[in-house]
Amino acid sequence: MASLQEVPLPGTALAEELDQRLLVVLRDGRKLLGTLRSFDQFANLVIEGAVERIIVGEQFGDIPMGLQIIRAENVVLLGRVDEAIDAPEGLTRIPAAQIKEAQKGEKELNKLKSTIRARMDFLDLD
Amino acid sequence: MLFFSLFKTLVGKEVTVELKNDLCISGALHSVDQYLNIKLTNTRVHNEQKYPHMMSVRNCFIRGSVVRYVHLPPGAVDVEVLHDATRREARGG
């Protein structure tokens, strides 16, 4: 029986994180914050009170997402968030609508940059 | 199960995990499971300015499937022992 106690049961790795406020980083780079309510052996997750945190430059904003089930293959990592330093240092919080605008702006800019880069390909940049 | 066993011997050691998205996280290895999911404590992210959301994270769980490399401390693995264990495992013992 001793060996059973030494080796944790398969898929119990996240039991300590249950009911904790966590940061979940997804494969596409999105960041969700919320409370872990359930998980399984693949790390499929149920996150309650989820918000998507968008960071653009020096600003960040949270978009409410409610209750989410995250399919395990999309999970990169889970981190326990220290509530005391919940707001990232040096960043200022702005409302959801504004951060969406800022994100849109950043996307446009990146698109523009990549098209310029593509056109200037013959210059052998970097 | 060889690498699972290997990682279990490394619990408590300082490791750096490099993910497939190029994020590098250093920390003390807290635990590992059969999928080679890794839990780190006292984590520090390399190039923290690029990942501001990681600043408030001190403990994390990393899904095994997203790991590219685990950098181990020098001298943490006895290669001779690992070699023998590999042969034993290959023979089905």
Side-chain angles (χ1 to χ4, degrees), chain A residues 10-11 13-14 16-17 23 25 31 41-43 55 72-73 75-82 85-86 88-89 91, chain B residues 4 8 19 21 23 25 30-35 37 39 52-63 65-66:
Chain A
L14 289 169
E16 290 165 40
E17 270 72 23
L23 167 78
V25 178
K31 299 159 272 291
Q41 73 269 37
F42 307 110
I55 304 175
E73 60 187 272
V75 174
V76 171
L77 67 85
L78 286 117
R80 206 175 293 183
V81 184
D82 190 339
I85 42 174
D86 192 14
E89 217 174 301
L91 302 187
Chain B
F4 177 40
K8 277 198 290 189
L19 308 188
N21 63 6
L23 182 61
I25 308 170
H30 173 270
S31 61
V32 63
D33 67 12
Q34 87 253 38
Y35 302 110
N37 295 327
K39 270 190 181 178
H53 56 283
M54 295 300 293
M55 282 192 290
S56 48
V57 175
R58 286 292 162 262
N59 300 299
C60 75
F61 167 92
I62 302 164
R63 196 165 188 267
S65 64
V66 301

Side-chain angles (χ1 to χ4, degrees), chain A residues 49-106:
Chain A
V51 294
E52 182 183 344
R53 176 154 293 174
I54 296 173
I55 304 175
V56 179
E58 310 266 276
Q59 298 173 317
F60 76 97
D62 291 341
I63 295 167
M65 307 279 280
L67 185 69
Q68 295 282 335
I69 298 180
I70 303 171
R71 190 174 155 85
E73 60 187 272
N74 299 298
V75 174
V76 171
L77 67 85
L78 286 117
R80 206 175 293 183
V81 184
D82 190 339
E83 293 287 354
I85 42 174
D86 192 14
E89 217 174 301
L91 302 187
T92 46
R93 184 190 284 275
I94 61 174
Q98 279 182 39
I99 198 70
K100 272 186 186 164
E101 281 301 310
Q103 190 188 33
K104 220 167 121 186
E106 194 192 40

Side-chain angles (χ1 to χ4, degrees), chain A:
Chain A
M1 281 316 269
S3 66
L4 271 181
Q5 280 160 0
E6 278 169 38
V7 182
L9 290 169
T12 53
L14 289 169
E16 290 165 40
E17 270 72 23
L18 274 176
D19 300 328
Q20 303 266 358
R21 188 135 182 97
L22 296 173
L23 167 78
V24 185
V25 178
L26 303 184
R27 241 175 3 165
D28 63 356
R30 283 187 229 198
K31 299 159 272 291
L32 298 182
L33 288 138
T35 310
L36 184 68
R37 292 302 187 199
S38 183
F39 65 90
D40 66 8
Q41 73 269 37
F42 307 110
N44 288 312
L45 308 174
V46 175
I47 303 288
E48 192 184 31
V51 294
E52 182 183 344
R53 176 154 293 174
I54 296 173
I55 304 175
V56 179
E58 310 266 276
Q59 298 173 317
F60 76 97
D62 291 341
I63 295 167
M65 307 279 280
L67 185 69
Q68 295 282 335
I69 298 180
I70 303 171
R71 190 174 155 85
E73 60 187 272
N74 299 298
V75 174
V76 171
L77 67 85
L78 286 117
R80 206 175 293 183
V81 184
D82 190 339
E83 293 287 354
I85 42 174
D86 192 14
E89 217 174 301
L91 302 187
T92 46
R93 184 190 284 275
I94 61 174
Q98 279 182 39
I99 198 70
K100 272 186 186 164
E101 281 301 310
Q103 190 188 33
K104 220 167 121 186
E106 194 192 40
K107 268 189 195 151
E108 293 286 320
L109 188 66
N110 284 340
K111 218 162 117 188
L112 194 66
K113 272 187 193 159
S114 61
T115 48
I116 291 172
R117 191 162 270 258
R119 277 187 209 152
M120 299 295 170
D121 207 23
F122 61 91
L123 286 178
D124 201 15
L125 296 166
D126 348 282

